[in-house]
Amino acid sequence: DTEVTQTPKHLVMGMTNKKSLKCEQHMGHRAMYWYKQKAKKPPELMFVYSYEKLSINESVPSRFSPECPNSSLLNLHLHALQPEDSALYLCASSQPTGGVGYTFGSGTRLTVV
Amino acid sequence: ELKVEQNPLFLSMQEGKNYTIYCNYSTTSDRLYWYRQDPGKSLESLFVLLSNGAVKQEGRLMASLDTKARLSTLHITAAVHDLSATYFCAALRSNTGNQFYFGTGTSLTVIP
């Protein structure tokens, strides 16, 4: 069982839709991350939250909007996405200093049509 | 920026053989991590290497870290089909605290 839970596992959305990806961790970690991964490529960092504050935004388009309501929850709000945004979206958590590494959620497979 | 390179990118090996995957990184990093990813799945943590000279082993996999050479290796001993997956190394950028930089990945296929 993963200790980082992502929902939904699969999502198909149109380019005019608004949807949200959700991530929850119960590991007591104070850093949470969103990554985007295209097929056969390494994960690409999108956002980092440390102590519920956005600390890194890797020049992600504004159609992706992160939110960290509390230390256990991380959301990614999606609006007006493009087909090229189709990918596996991974949430991860860790201690703020990196510690023993990230724990990844199972991911959300997003398809934009 | 911390750059992390792996080689080879693709590896096809016969069952029972040994091989090594290399992970080089460009600037100071105190910690190196190895992950495994099966097709369509998330990343599973394999090893955490926290200091120069660290060596960790689990089953047929052994990882090592040389911070002076900025090199980590993942050695596969007597490969079996179940090891087929993509393997990523990731370096922690020291002065940012928690930002990982992933290597390009090595897609391993073990054939009978």
Side-chain angles (χ1 to χ4, degrees):
Chain A
D1 290 343
T2 181
E3 296 185 70
V4 178
T5 304
Q6 286 186 245
T7 56
K9 293 194 182 307
H10 302 275
L11 177 63
V12 179
M13 62 184 291
M15 289 189 284
T16 59
N17 291 159
K18 287 185 180 180
K19 296 286 184 183
S20 296
L21 308 184
K22 296 186 184 301
C23 176
E24 186 171 10
Q25 59 97 4
H26 295 288
M27 304 182 70
H29 290 163
R30 299 307 298 273
M32 296 185 76
Y33 313 82
W34 281 114
Y35 278 85
K36 173 184 176 179
Q37 188 180 26
K38 302 284 268 186
K40 301 189 185 301
K41 297 291 186 184
E44 299 174 27
L45 182 64
M46 300 175 73
F47 302 105
V48 179
Y49 275 84
S50 288
Y51 296 99
E52 296 87 67
K53 293 191 188 315
L54 183 64
S55 61
I56 295 175
N57 175 341
E58 290 286 1
S59 302
V60 179
S62 60
R63 57 186 184 267
F64 296 91
S65 175
E67 177 194 20
C68 189
N70 59 54
S71 60
S72 300
L73 294 174
L74 185 66
N75 299 321
L76 186 63
H77 302 298
L78 314 173
H79 174 56
L81 294 193
Q82 303 296 311
E84 59 264 29
D85 296 322
S86 298
L88 180 67
Y89 287 84
L90 293 163
C91 172
S93 69
S94 77
Q95 295 299 341
T97 57
V100 293
Y102 292 2
T103 299
F104 283 90
S106 55
T108 294
R109 175 72 61 188
L110 174 67
T111 303
V112 181
V113 297
Chain B
E1 182 180 331
L2 177 57
K3 294 190 187 299
V4 183
E5 294 183 349
Q6 286 179 238
N7 69 83
L9 296 182
F10 298 95
L11 175 57
S12 181
M13 58 189 297
Q14 285 190 309
E15 281 190 333
K17 298 294 187 182
N18 304 332
Y19 208 84
T20 300
I21 299 170
Y22 297 88
C23 173
N24 292 90
Y25 52 96
S26 61
T27 61
T28 300
S29 175
D30 295 329
R31 305 180 190 181
L32 199 291
Y33 305 82
W34 285 95
Y35 288 87
R36 167 181 172 146
Q37 187 175 36
D38 292 297
K41 303 292 186 183
S42 186
L43 282 81
E44 173 192 354
S45 179
L46 292 176
F47 298 109
V48 180
L49 303 168
L50 299 178
S51 62
N52 185 40
V55 177
K56 295 281 185 72
Q57 182 162 6
E58 180 74 30
R60 301 175 188 274
L61 300 178
M62 183 173 70
S64 66
L65 178 62
D66 181 343
T67 57
K68 294 178 181 175
R70 297 177 184 163
L71 171 69
S72 179
T73 62
L74 181 66
H75 186 73
I76 303 157
T77 302
V80 293
H81 179 71
D82 286 351
L83 291 179
S84 297
T86 298
Y87 293 85
F88 291 100
C89 63
L92 184 68
R93 187 175 172 188
S94 303
N95 61 357
T96 66
N98 59 11
Q99 186 171 348
F100 276 23
Y101 290 81
F102 279 90
T104 46
T106 296
S107 177
L108 170 65
T109 303
V110 180
I111 53 178

